[in-house]
Amino acid sequence: MNLPQPTPVAARALGPDLARGFMLLFIALANSHYFLRGSSVLGGYPQDGSGVDSAVIWLLTTFVDGRAFPMFGALFGYGIARIAWRQQALGPRAVRRLLWRRSLVLVAVGFLHALLLYAGDILTAYGVLLLAGAWSVRWKDRWLLVIALLFFLLGTLPSGGSSTIGGDPPDETMLPPDVATMIVNRAQTSLYVASLGPLGFVCPFMIGLWAGRRRILEQAERYRRSLRITASVGIGAAVLGAQPISLMLAGVVTPPHQSTLEVLGPLHDATGTLGGFGYAAMLALVAVRFQARGPGTVVNAIAAAGQRSLTCYLAQSVVWALVFTPFLLDLSGTLTVTTTALLAAATWLITVVLADWMRRTERRGPFEVVIRRITYRHAPR
């Protein structure tokens, strides 16, 4: 009996893993500042910091916030497309069942992650999206692109739901005073995220499926011109589209009327989706250059983190829980935007070092082992 097999580590392409590994830094930077308290909070940032804090806020809101998660959504879709292609000999039904097993384990791990470590978990959203998305791996290209465009345009409509314009400080879901409050509030939040969260990832997921069919990130040398255009246009649009919000949150300009904010917030988010595509394209081109001359120690270490992205992502949340939870270290009112960004960068660096150690000792990430065993129903090679 031919059992479905995951891709052996030695056969993995550098581009997608390098992109995942590097973007874990952006994930850490994007997540950690939402724990901070302040006399006034806007867009997840305390507004009473120093001039250095204002500069860091501008950098993060221009290059990181709303830019990393779309790229991860695209890479998720890309990976699903490659899984479906490798397992196509099993037949459509068997492939769907395999993807559904993967989605259910993501939902389960994500729910526990949200309950015990980080209320802003995205794994449940990915899992729910894959429950429905397992059908889309066989859709024609034009339907993938049409649906991606539709959801992208919906995301540009005026709305007060963008996190970049919210004025609420972290609540008891993020900073629970005790374990009981944590469990109750986070269980409710996780169900809400599982219900609505997938909608925000439909566009990058569909684009990822489309790109994965063509192996664009793995064969970047064939698509060099297209990737250069995507990187330039995507990152350029993200930087320009971020400025109204970035300058406001950095304290350079006065916040406009709420009706204007409800236009600028979606603009920041929508151009962030383009920026996520741009970052993926840029890192694919970087991977081509390193593959030609040999990746080297640093690139191999970052790619190792990308190969173990689930484990590294969850490890970040362990740090946030330890540092910020009120009944643990409770540093949410002590750390600043700048020191939190430094903590995020240090956390990412530690996970990269640990991932590289696992690479050199030929160990998979523990959570990658779990998800592969459940997905493929046997121990991965």
Side-chain angles (χ1 to χ4, degrees):
M1 178 180 180
N2 293 324
L3 294 173
Q5 296 286 345
T7 303
V9 173
R12 293 177 68 108
L14 178 61
D17 287 334
L18 181 63
R20 290 187 187 95
F22 186 79
M23 280 296 112
L24 282 166
L25 170 60
F26 279 22
I27 295 292
L29 292 168
N31 281 341
S32 53
H33 68 81
Y34 283 102
F35 292 96
L36 297 180
R37 295 191 184 102
S39 58
S40 175
V41 175
L42 185 60
Y45 291 99
Q47 296 294 291
D48 52 1
S50 66
V52 175
D53 288 333
S54 294
V56 172
I57 290 172
W58 180 85
L59 288 170
L60 293 180
T61 51
T62 296
F63 296 102
V64 175
D65 291 349
R67 279 94 184 107
F69 288 106
M71 184 188 143
F72 258 78
L75 290 173
F76 180 60
Y78 191 98
I80 294 303
R82 300 312 306 144
I83 290 172
W85 181 84
R86 289 193 301 270
Q87 311 300 334
Q88 61 183 327
L90 300 174
R93 289 185 179 180
V95 170
R96 279 198 300 273
R97 288 194 293 267
L98 182 149
L99 295 179
W100 282 336
R101 290 195 297 271
R102 193 177 189 89
S103 71
L104 291 175
V105 71
L106 283 173
V107 169
V109 172
F111 181 73
L112 291 175
H113 175 228
L115 210 64
L116 302 176
L117 295 174
Y118 178 53
D121 166 77
I122 61 170
L123 298 178
T124 50
Y126 280 1
V128 172
L129 176 61
L130 184 53
L131 279 173
W135 295 94
S136 63
V137 297
R138 292 180 57 82
W139 290 355
K140 294 182 178 180
D141 286 348
R142 65 173 178 269
W143 284 112
L144 297 179
L145 297 177
V146 166
I147 292 174
L149 178 60
L150 174 62
F151 275 85
F152 176 80
L153 293 176
L154 288 174
T156 66
L157 298 177
S159 169
S162 173
S163 61
T164 61
I165 60 175
D168 296 327
D171 60 14
E172 290 186 345
T173 303
M174 291 290 288
L175 300 174
D178 52 65
V179 175
T181 302
M182 178 180 76
I183 297 298
V184 172
N185 288 351
R186 289 184 175 177
Q188 296 173 356
T189 300
S190 182
L191 293 175
Y192 175 81
V193 171
S195 300
L196 298 181
L199 299 178
F201 292 108
V202 171
C203 173
F205 178 77
M206 293 295 169
I207 295 297
L209 284 178
W210 177 85
R213 290 176 177 177
R214 288 156 178 77
R215 304 184 67 185
I216 289 176
L217 300 183
E218 299 156 88
Q219 300 178 358
E221 66 281 354
R222 291 181 53 191
Y223 299 94
R224 194 185 300 266
R225 184 172 181 272
S226 297
L227 288 170
R228 284 175 176 168
I229 294 172
T230 301
S232 300
V233 173
I235 296 174
V239 170
L240 292 175
Q243 292 318 297
I245 291 293
S246 298
L247 294 173
M248 179 189 74
L249 295 181
V252 177
V253 299
T254 303
H257 189 270
Q258 180 64 24
S259 60
T260 303
L261 286 177
E262 291 178 2
V263 173
L264 298 180
L267 172 66
H268 183 277
D269 298 340
T271 54
T273 297
L274 299 179
F277 300 152
Y279 282 139
M282 179 186 70
L283 289 167
L285 291 170
V286 169
V288 169
R289 296 190 63 180
F290 280 112
Q291 279 181 322
R293 64 187 188 188
T297 303
V298 174
V299 172
N300 276 330
I302 296 174
Q307 293 168 2
R308 299 157 181 83
S309 57
L310 177 59
T311 294
C312 291
Y313 169 66
L314 295 173
Q316 291 180 5
S317 296
V318 173
V319 176
W320 313 150
L322 177 64
V323 170
F324 296 113
T325 302
F327 53 84
L328 296 176
L329 294 181
D330 192 20
L331 297 181
S332 62
T334 303
L335 295 179
T336 66
V337 171
T338 302
T339 53
T340 300
L342 292 174
L343 171 67
T347 299
W348 173 76
L349 184 59
I350 290 170
T351 61
V352 168
V353 171
L354 290 175
D356 190 51
W357 172 78
M358 285 188 276
R359 175 187 67 85
R360 288 183 284 105
T361 55
E362 298 184 346
R363 290 177 169 87
R364 292 186 181 273
F367 287 96
E368 281 71 24
V369 171
V370 170
I371 197 170
R372 284 168 180 245
R373 281 183 175 173
I374 294 174
T375 299
Y376 297 99
R377 298 191 295 188
H378 59 88
R381 294 176 182 176

